Each structure stands twice: as C-alpha cells, then as structure tokens.
Amino acid sequence: MRVEDLIVYGKSKVHSQHAKMLLAILMGVNPLELLTILNEEVPEEIANQYKEKINELAANRPLQYVVGNVNFYGEEFVVNEATLIPRFETEELVESTMMYLDEFFDTKDLKVIDLGTGTGCIGLTLKHLIPSLDVTLVDISEDALAITTENAHRKNLDVQIKKSDFLDEIEEQYDIIISNPPYLRNGEEVEKVVHDNEPHLALYAGEDGLDCYRKILRTCKKNLKEKFMIAFEIGCDQREAVTNLIKEELDSVAVLAKKDLSGRDRMIFAFSKKKS
Ligand code: GLN
C-alpha cells in the first residue's frame, strides 16, 4: 500500500492527526515529510504494524502507549500502562524548579529526590540538564520502576532508583524534594481515555485528592536538610489546601504558588527560611 492509502485507511478509523502521526513514527519520518511521499509504497511489515496500531488507537488506547514513548522536555521517554503519560504541565514544573534552584541555592551540588517518579521524567530531566545533581527516583510500583530503570539506562544517566511508598523507606536527607504525585479526588471525572488507560494508582489520592501531599509532608522532616526546597505539581484548585498543609507540617517555610502557561495554579514551591 502507498502512504496515501494508509493515511486514508487510518483516517477512516481515528483522528486524521493521529493517523498521520502514527505512520510518520513507524516510517521514521517527520509528519510533514509524509505529505511529500504520498505515492511511495510502504513496506508490508510497516503497513501491517500500522493497521494493527490504528486498531489500538480506535479502541481508545492513547497514542503514547501505542507507540511506547513520549517526548518530555525535548527527550524521548519510554512509557507503558504502568506509568502515567508525562504531561506538558510537568515540563513547566521542571523548568520552574531549575529557575528556583538557581536562585535559592549557591551550589548545584545538590541531592534531589523525585517521589512517584513513574517514567522518571522529572528526575531524569533534572539530572540530564544539571549533571552535578545527585538524583534519587522513587516509586511504589515495581512495574513503573522497570520503566524508570529503562529510561535511566537509555539515557545513560547515573541516578539511584528505589522502591518506596514515597519517603517510607528513605533515610537520607535531601536538598530538594520534587513530586508530581497523584492528586485527583477519588471518583473525580477525567477524560475517558485517561480513566480507561492510565494507572489509577498514579491518578487518585483519596476523598479530597490530597492524601499524597499529606503523606509526603507528614514524613519529610527526617529527609530534609536544614536548607531545603520542595516542589509539587498540584491540581488547579489545590493551591490553598496544599499551602495550608505545608504550613501545618513544616515550621518556618516560605510558600510560593506558580501558574502554568494557561494561567492556572499548577505548582507549589516551599523554601526553608534561613535560621538566624
Ligand atoms: N512523575 C511522573 C510524571 O510526572 C509520574 C507522576 C504520577 O504517576 N502521578 O509524569
């Protein structure tokens, strides 16, 4: 079959954007390039793979799981059903964290722990961008950690990977705790494609969606150095609740909320205040 025939086939079953993107990925070309080779014959093996994967997309499986990877902060990450699909908002968490890290600390020799790391996108991106960081990646799910490990190996990044329910099994002290934990309220409505495919363990966090922040904050004192920074992604209606939790659990912190590019509260940063 020719490129054009396959696109027509794909478009009859899924969104045309997805149909083109999938074919481009399988053929190893840029989606725009496809339009310049519409008459080219596609090798049978690729054509068959394409049809199979179009059916997976038509059955409401996310493109990222179908192709097995996702771009995060300009880098490819392996992803599967054991891990949340990294989101654009989380790139903003990484970016803001880099900025505050620079402002708040006088050195980049810092110990960082990424809690609920999933694919490892947060911690591995930080390590990639600032190699002097000593980064630990933690998740409760062994299946997720298999993906974290694969991503660390593929990127050849020297990090520590540990199985733990947030900080339960962690004894060391860190300069930075960072996390995009589950923060949906149990039963909260999300897109069907998310609900039906992504791990609920990575999405839901109790009646009020705050269980994971509560757990991290109640156990983190033992793991924080005297001067520390905490960076959380939050749900857009959780700024006040998470700010209050931080202030209840930690003495002497400055808390700052940051909006994402679409103007919604999506990040909270806490900084230790200097002891006088
Ligand atoms: N840290 C991962 C991410 O941001 C996983 C988050 C999660 O599973 N809640 O994509």
Side-chain angles (χ1 to χ4, degrees):
M1 277 175 110
R2 293 174 316 131
V3 168
E4 188 169 14
D5 303 329
L6 284 174
I7 294 178
V8 170
Y9 172 85
K11 275 180 12 186
S12 72
K13 301 201 162 209
V14 304
H15 195 283
S16 84
Q17 216 54 13
H18 279 178
K20 285 185 217 154
M21 210 141 39
L22 179 61
L23 188 56
I25 292 169
L26 292 178
M27 293 187 67
V29 300
N30 178 302
L32 286 177
E33 245 178 284
L34 270 190
L35 307 177
T36 68
I37 53 167
L38 289 174
N39 278 319
E40 241 173 60
E41 219 27 63
V42 178
E44 202 179 321
E45 203 187 317
I46 295 185
N48 289 339
Q49 256 184 23
Y50 177 74
K51 287 184 194 162
E52 213 173 278
K53 290 184 186 297
I54 283 288
N55 287 330
E56 291 178 26
L57 287 179
N60 209 28
R61 193 172 178 222
L63 181 67
Q64 295 89 338
Y65 288 153
V66 171
V67 300
N69 64 57
V70 58
N71 188 291
F72 183 85
Y73 221 99
E75 294 280 317
E76 292 291 310
F77 282 79
V78 173
V79 65
N80 74 7
E81 268 82 355
T83 57
L84 194 82
I85 298 169
R87 303 292 204 273
F88 183 61
E89 290 91 317
T90 309
E91 296 184 336
E92 292 193 52
L93 176 71
V94 171
E95 187 167 18
S96 299
T97 298
M98 304 247 295
M99 184 182 84
Y100 290 128
L101 176 159
D102 218 26
E103 282 177 19
F104 186 65
F105 296 99
D106 323 310
T107 166
K108 288 194 175 164
D109 264 322
L110 299 164
K111 276 169 72 89
V112 181
I113 188 162
D114 172 11
L115 302 175
T117 192
T119 54
C121 61
I122 296 176
L124 292 175
T125 302
L126 286 172
K127 177 72 183 171
H128 171 70
L129 295 170
I130 313 177
S132 61
L133 297 178
D134 175 345
V135 175
T136 300
L137 309 168
V138 165
D139 208 285
I140 191 175
S141 153
E142 271 173 33
D143 291 341
L145 286 178
I147 296 294
T148 322
T149 307
E150 188 172 345
N151 280 317
H153 283 160
R154 283 186 182 219
K155 295 171 191 309
N156 206 10
L157 291 171
D158 183 14
V159 292
Q160 286 108 69
I161 297 175
K162 293 189 177 153
K163 180 178 176 197
S164 173
D165 187 0
F166 295 117
L167 292 160
D168 284 359
E169 312 297 324
I170 308 296
E171 277 160 20
E172 283 175 61
Q173 295 189 317
Y174 296 85
D175 301 280
I176 299 174
I177 290 178
I178 187 164
S179 185
N180 171 26
Y183 53 71
L184 297 181
R185 291 181 287 280
N186 288 347
E188 184 172 339
E189 217 170 288
V190 279
E191 278 177 88
K192 185 169 159 47
V193 61
V194 174
H195 178 272
D196 291 354
N197 291 280
E198 298 196 56
H200 288 193
L201 183 65
L203 293 171
Y204 297 102
E207 289 306 309
D208 61 1
L210 299 170
D211 280 5
C212 296
Y213 301 111
R214 225 175 257 123
K215 180 166 172 75
I216 294 170
L217 289 164
R218 286 191 181 149
T219 51
C220 70
K221 270 193 203 151
K222 70 181 195 319
N223 300 104
L224 288 169
K225 293 195 185 175
E226 196 171 308
K227 179 169 179 158
F228 66 81
M229 165 175 147
I230 298 174
F232 284 142
E233 180 169 320
I234 56 165
C236 54
D237 57 356
Q238 293 176 326
R239 177 177 51 87
E240 225 183 296
V242 176
T243 303
N244 290 340
L245 276 177
I246 294 174
K247 291 190 169 159
E248 275 163 33
E249 297 298 334
L250 300 169
D251 330 308
S252 206
V253 280
V255 181
L256 184 150
K258 201 160 184 289
K259 294 186 192 302
D260 66 11
L261 289 175
S262 42
R264 295 178 306 173
D265 290 314
R266 292 309 299 266
M267 294 160 263
I268 293 259
F269 297 88
F271 305 89
S272 58
K273 285 189 190 157
K274 283 211 181 89
K275 307 237 159 55
S276 47

